[in-house]
Amino acid sequence: MAENVTVGWQVGADVTDWQLTVESRARRVRADLAALPPVPASEVARKAADVSLEIVDAALRSADNKWWRSGASWWSGWHIERAWRALHEAEIYLAAADPDLPSKLPGLRARVRMYLEEGDPRRAAMERENPDRATVVDAMRAAFDASDDAHAAARALRNKLIVISLALFVLNFTLGLVGLIKPGLVPMCMPPNMAVHQPLCPTGTGAASGWDVWMVQLFGALGATISVVLLLIRRRPDLSPYVLVGYQALVKILLGATLSAVGLLALGAGLVSGIVYVGSQAALLLWAVLFGYAQQVGTRLLDNYADRLMDEVRPSPERVSTSGGKR
């Protein structure tokens, strides 16, 4: 079995973080398998681990051949999830074949604690002193299944964010195009008032311009970008293959552009007359920025959901307390 240490997918120059992580852990499993004594009772588990590692290598190679990888495989993420699931199976079979399993229990318990709730009976059984091998394998499989399901959920959320972003982009582009072709059809100008005796428009002219909608959307995107900065500051680094923060930022910016146009329509319609006063172009554009930032009220719920989901994908060490339970 010593040849297994060197056999496998070789790291290229343009690999991603998840490929490096999977490849490193696969090498570790191969080394541990090669170090196991040749016990006939464990041969079935060793062979099963080897098969799983071959699946890992195949998935890594398919992800590395970007000319072959189609948009469908990127959308479904099958090569990523297949690599992770096969790696987890190899690690489970390694535990099943390892005659020195009791010495590995502290590390295995720590991994199980990260993904199984404190009241889970499989976790409770593994926490007992000297659990049998079947109990350890069952708890590991449940923990890895929870991790793999969280990865699939993260991919599903990523795809939803992409669809929402495309819809918002088409909507914003259509509004801007309509305003450019027929100025004033999407009214962004404020009606005359006691201080300003002519319409007040985003571009500073006294009449509707084809660039009014684009100007409002630009400043709305500016306001949304402020909330994106706050999102980046509070988000901890993550090596998950599905990093959602970029897609969340895109949704925020595009939604901010949309809400800025809707907000100025409300101002022009007098829905907040007597509450909001707009007496200059600077004030008008400032309101566009504020309306763009206001998307944070709705997308904050999305941020919280994404945070919880990514915590399930890659739990931080702080989630496990010194007593072994989740904080």
Side-chain angles (χ1 to χ4, degrees):
M1 297 295 290
E3 66 273 10
N4 287 342
V5 179
T6 57
V7 173
W9 176 78
Q10 299 299 315
V11 178
D14 56 348
V15 296
T16 59
D17 290 337
W18 76 266
Q19 287 175 285
L20 288 173
T21 303
V22 170
E23 192 272 342
S24 174
R25 284 172 57 171
R27 284 181 179 273
R28 201 179 310 159
V29 172
R30 282 192 169 93
D32 290 343
L33 284 173
L36 294 181
V39 180
S42 65
E43 282 304 307
V44 173
R46 296 173 70 140
K47 291 179 180 179
D50 287 335
V51 172
S52 296
L53 290 173
E54 290 175 2
I55 296 175
V56 172
D57 294 338
L60 290 174
R61 283 193 296 269
S62 67
D64 196 42
N65 295 331
K66 295 179 174 57
W67 61 270
W68 177 87
R69 185 179 58 189
S70 65
S73 66
W74 174 85
W75 182 264
S76 65
W78 68 264
H79 54 283
I80 296 176
E81 291 168 32
R82 188 182 187 191
W84 276 109
R85 289 180 186 272
L87 173 64
H88 288 158
E89 284 298 315
E91 291 176 332
I92 291 170
Y93 288 127
L94 172 63
D98 192 352
D100 194 28
L101 181 63
S103 66
K104 307 291 178 60
L105 282 178
L108 296 178
R109 282 172 176 150
R111 295 182 69 177
V112 168
R113 289 167 186 164
M114 296 181 76
Y115 293 103
L116 295 185
E117 297 294 334
E118 193 169 1
D120 192 292
R122 293 161 297 190
R123 172 177 164 177
M126 189 173 176
E127 294 287 348
R128 300 193 190 104
E129 186 176 359
N130 298 324
D132 57 56
R133 193 175 301 271
T135 297
V136 174
V137 168
D138 186 50
M140 289 180 62
R141 183 166 282 119
F144 287 147
D145 284 346
S147 172
D148 293 333
D149 291 344
H151 275 91
R155 172 182 49 79
L157 180 57
R158 181 206 65 179
N159 292 351
K160 291 178 182 178
L161 293 176
I162 292 173
V163 172
I164 293 172
S165 298
L166 289 174
L168 288 173
F169 176 80
V170 171
L171 176 61
N172 285 323
F173 182 80
T174 302
L175 285 175
L177 189 61
V178 168
L180 188 63
I181 295 174
K182 194 169 183 179
L185 187 61
V186 183
M188 294 287 100
C189 298
M190 300 297 106
N193 51 48
M194 296 180 60
V196 181
H197 303 290
Q198 61 180 357
L200 184 61
C201 300
T203 54
T205 61
S209 166
W211 298 104
D212 285 338
V213 177
W214 295 106
M215 180 69 76
V216 170
Q217 290 177 335
L218 176 62
F219 277 81
L222 173 62
T225 302
I226 299 175
S227 67
V228 170
V229 173
L230 299 178
L231 172 68
L232 295 175
I233 290 175
R234 68 182 184 84
R235 178 61 55 84
R236 68 183 177 91
D238 202 317
L239 295 179
S240 168
Y242 303 116
V243 180
L244 302 179
V245 64
Y247 302 103
Q248 292 174 249
L250 186 59
V251 169
K252 286 175 178 289
I253 292 173
L254 292 172
L255 184 59
T258 304
L259 291 183
S260 64
V262 174
L264 260 65
L265 285 174
L267 289 180
L271 298 182
V272 288
S273 179
I275 302 176
V276 176
Y277 173 73
V278 180
S280 65
Q281 179 195 12
L284 186 63
L285 295 178
L286 178 60
W287 275 108
V289 173
L290 294 176
F291 284 128
Y293 183 82
Q295 51 71 37
Q296 179 68 8
V297 176
T299 56
R300 178 68 179 176
L301 299 176
L302 172 64
D303 295 341
N304 291 338
Y305 174 71
D307 286 344
R308 292 195 302 270
L309 182 57
M310 297 311 294
D311 283 342
E312 293 298 325
V313 172
R314 281 297 176 87
S316 62
E318 289 75 14
R319 289 182 58 185
V320 181
S321 67
T322 55
S323 62
K326 286 186 179 181
R327 287 182 180 177

PDB file of all heavy atoms in Angstrom, residues 65 85 138 148 150 166 170 176 188 206 213 234 243 305:
ATOM      1  N   ASN A  65      -9.702  20.660 -15.443  1.00  0.00           N
ATOM      2  CA  ASN A  65      -9.799  20.814 -16.894  1.00  0.00           C
ATOM      3  C   ASN A  65     -10.898  21.812 -17.240  1.00  0.00           C
ATOM      4  O   ASN A  65     -12.018  21.451 -17.571  1.00  0.00           O
ATOM      5  CB  ASN A  65     -10.106  19.456 -17.550  1.00  0.00           C
ATOM      6  CG  ASN A  65      -8.959  18.477 -17.345  1.00  0.00           C
ATOM      7  OD1 ASN A  65      -7.814  18.893 -17.221  1.00  0.00           O
ATOM      8  ND2 ASN A  65      -9.267  17.198 -17.300  1.00  0.00           N
ATOM      9  N   ARG A  85     -17.626  14.527  -0.824  1.00  0.00           N
ATOM     10  CA  ARG A  85     -18.310  13.349  -0.295  1.00  0.00           C
ATOM     11  C   ARG A  85     -17.413  12.111  -0.368  1.00  0.00           C
ATOM     12  O   ARG A  85     -17.386  11.295   0.565  1.00  0.00           O
ATOM     13  CB  ARG A  85     -19.612  13.122  -1.061  1.00  0.00           C
ATOM     14  CG  ARG A  85     -20.684  14.172  -0.762  1.00  0.00           C
ATOM     15  CD  ARG A  85     -21.966  13.925  -1.534  1.00  0.00           C
ATOM     16  NE  ARG A  85     -22.916  15.005  -1.334  1.00  0.00           N
ATOM     17  CZ  ARG A  85     -23.811  15.066  -0.347  1.00  0.00           C
ATOM     18  NH1 ARG A  85     -23.854  14.070   0.542  1.00  0.00           N
ATOM     19  NH2 ARG A  85     -24.646  16.084  -0.232  1.00  0.00           N
ATOM     20  N   ASP A 138     -20.599   5.509  12.647  1.00  0.00           N
ATOM     21  CA  ASP A 138     -21.946   6.048  12.459  1.00  0.00           C
ATOM     22  C   ASP A 138     -21.982   7.544  12.775  1.00  0.00           C
ATOM     23  O   ASP A 138     -22.614   8.329  12.051  1.00  0.00           O
ATOM     24  CB  ASP A 138     -22.928   5.293  13.361  1.00  0.00           C
ATOM     25  CG  ASP A 138     -24.363   5.702  13.102  1.00  0.00           C
ATOM     26  OD1 ASP A 138     -24.779   5.714  11.923  1.00  0.00           O
ATOM     27  OD2 ASP A 138     -25.077   6.023  14.067  1.00  0.00           O
ATOM     28  N   ASP A 148     -21.855  17.906   4.190  1.00  0.00           N
ATOM     29  CA  ASP A 148     -22.097  17.842   2.746  1.00  0.00           C
ATOM     30  C   ASP A 148     -23.440  18.465   2.381  1.00  0.00           C
ATOM     31  O   ASP A 148     -23.558  19.147   1.354  1.00  0.00           O
ATOM     32  CB  ASP A 148     -22.051  16.390   2.277  1.00  0.00           C
ATOM     33  CG  ASP A 148     -20.660  15.783   2.406  1.00  0.00           C
ATOM     34  OD1 ASP A 148     -19.684  16.557   2.345  1.00  0.00           O
ATOM     35  OD2 ASP A 148     -20.550  14.557   2.586  1.00  0.00           O
ATOM     36  N   ALA A 150     -24.859  20.878   3.989  1.00  0.00           N
ATOM     37  CA  ALA A 150     -24.694  22.323   4.113  1.00  0.00           C
ATOM     38  C   ALA A 150     -24.014  22.904   2.879  1.00  0.00           C
ATOM     39  O   ALA A 150     -24.353  24.003   2.424  1.00  0.00           O
ATOM     40  CB  ALA A 150     -23.887  22.656   5.376  1.00  0.00           C
ATOM     41  N   LEU A 166     -29.330  38.629 -11.886  1.00  0.00           N
ATOM     42  CA  LEU A 166     -29.633  38.776 -13.309  1.00  0.00           C
ATOM     43  C   LEU A 166     -30.962  39.491 -13.514  1.00  0.00           C
ATOM     44  O   LEU A 166     -31.087  40.361 -14.390  1.00  0.00           O
ATOM     45  CB  LEU A 166     -29.658  37.403 -13.979  1.00  0.00           C
ATOM     46  CG  LEU A 166     -28.308  36.702 -14.146  1.00  0.00           C
ATOM     47  CD1 LEU A 166     -28.510  35.292 -14.695  1.00  0.00           C
ATOM     48  CD2 LEU A 166     -27.388  37.504 -15.067  1.00  0.00           C
ATOM     49  N   VAL A 170     -31.368  43.141 -15.385  1.00  0.00           N
ATOM     50  CA  VAL A 170     -32.265  43.365 -16.533  1.00  0.00           C
ATOM     51  C   VAL A 170     -33.254  44.472 -16.228  1.00  0.00           C
ATOM     52  O   VAL A 170     -33.527  45.345 -17.077  1.00  0.00           O
ATOM     53  CB  VAL A 170     -32.994  42.052 -16.883  1.00  0.00           C
ATOM     54  CG1 VAL A 170     -34.083  42.301 -17.927  1.00  0.00           C
ATOM     55  CG2 VAL A 170     -32.002  41.020 -17.407  1.00  0.00           C
ATOM     56  N   GLY A 176     -33.209  52.161 -17.305  1.00  0.00           N
ATOM     57  CA  GLY A 176     -32.279  53.144 -17.849  1.00  0.00           C
ATOM     58  C   GLY A 176     -32.435  53.325 -19.342  1.00  0.00           C
ATOM     59  O   GLY A 176     -32.366  54.446 -19.863  1.00  0.00           O
ATOM     60  N   MET A 188     -37.941  61.238 -12.981  1.00  0.00           N
ATOM     61  CA  MET A 188     -37.007  61.350 -11.875  1.00  0.00           C
ATOM     62  C   MET A 188     -36.883  62.784 -11.378  1.00  0.00           C
ATOM     63  O   MET A 188     -36.176  63.054 -10.409  1.00  0.00           O
ATOM     64  CB  MET A 188     -35.618  60.851 -12.301  1.00  0.00           C
ATOM     65  CG  MET A 188     -35.526  59.357 -12.618  1.00  0.00           C
ATOM     66  SD  MET A 188     -35.585  58.278 -11.156  1.00  0.00           S
ATOM     67  CE  MET A 188     -37.303  57.748 -11.199  1.00  0.00           C
ATOM     68  N   GLY A 206     -33.125  71.739 -16.113  1.00  0.00           N
ATOM     69  CA  GLY A 206     -34.491  72.124 -15.760  1.00  0.00           C
ATOM     70  C   GLY A 206     -35.535  71.306 -16.477  1.00  0.00           C
ATOM     71  O   GLY A 206     -36.735  71.607 -16.383  1.00  0.00           O
ATOM     72  N   VAL A 213     -32.335  58.672 -15.151  1.00  0.00           N
ATOM     73  CA  VAL A 213     -32.489  57.357 -14.500  1.00  0.00           C
ATOM     74  C   VAL A 213     -31.122  56.751 -14.208  1.00  0.00           C
ATOM     75  O   VAL A 213     -30.891  56.210 -13.118  1.00  0.00           O
ATOM     76  CB  VAL A 213     -33.321  56.413 -15.385  1.00  0.00           C
ATOM     77  CG1 VAL A 213     -33.413  55.028 -14.733  1.00  0.00           C
ATOM     78  CG2 VAL A 213     -34.721  56.976 -15.594  1.00  0.00           C
ATOM     79  N   ARG A 234     -17.436  42.638   8.535  1.00  0.00           N
ATOM     80  CA  ARG A 234     -17.877  41.714   9.585  1.00  0.00           C
ATOM     81  C   ARG A 234     -17.829  40.253   9.167  1.00  0.00           C
ATOM     82  O   ARG A 234     -17.992  39.369   9.998  1.00  0.00           O
ATOM     83  CB  ARG A 234     -19.298  42.061  10.029  1.00  0.00           C
ATOM     84  CG  ARG A 234     -20.369  41.805   9.002  1.00  0.00           C
ATOM     85  CD  ARG A 234     -21.742  42.226   9.518  1.00  0.00           C
ATOM     86  NE  ARG A 234     -22.798  41.914   8.584  1.00  0.00           N
ATOM     87  CZ  ARG A 234     -23.396  40.727   8.505  1.00  0.00           C
ATOM     88  NH1 ARG A 234     -23.019  39.769   9.317  1.00  0.00           N
ATOM     89  NH2 ARG A 234     -24.351  40.522   7.629  1.00  0.00           N
ATOM     90  N   VAL A 243     -18.365  30.598  -1.891  1.00  0.00           N
ATOM     91  CA  VAL A 243     -18.243  31.849  -1.152  1.00  0.00           C
ATOM     92  C   VAL A 243     -19.373  32.772  -1.611  1.00  0.00           C
ATOM     93  O   VAL A 243     -19.434  33.160  -2.782  1.00  0.00           O
ATOM     94  CB  VAL A 243     -16.869  32.509  -1.379  1.00  0.00           C
ATOM     95  CG1 VAL A 243     -16.769  33.802  -0.605  1.00  0.00           C
ATOM     96  CG2 VAL A 243     -15.759  31.551  -0.958  1.00  0.00           C
ATOM     97  N   TYR A 305     -29.189  34.915   7.127  1.00  0.00           N
ATOM     98  CA  TYR A 305     -29.385  33.536   6.678  1.00  0.00           C
ATOM     99  C   TYR A 305     -28.096  32.978   6.074  1.00  0.00           C
ATOM    100  O   TYR A 305     -27.708  31.834   6.348  1.00  0.00           O
ATOM    101  CB  TYR A 305     -30.517  33.481   5.652  1.00  0.00           C
ATOM    102  CG  TYR A 305     -30.691  32.111   5.031  1.00  0.00           C
ATOM    103  CD1 TYR A 305     -31.213  31.055   5.770  1.00  0.00           C
ATOM    104  CD2 TYR A 305     -30.318  31.874   3.708  1.00  0.00           C
ATOM    105  CE1 TYR A 305     -31.365  29.793   5.207  1.00  0.00           C
ATOM    106  CE2 TYR A 305     -30.462  30.619   3.137  1.00  0.00           C
ATOM    107  CZ  TYR A 305     -30.993  29.583   3.895  1.00  0.00           C
ATOM    108  OH  TYR A 305     -31.124  28.347   3.330  1.00  0.00           O
TER     109      TYR A 305
END
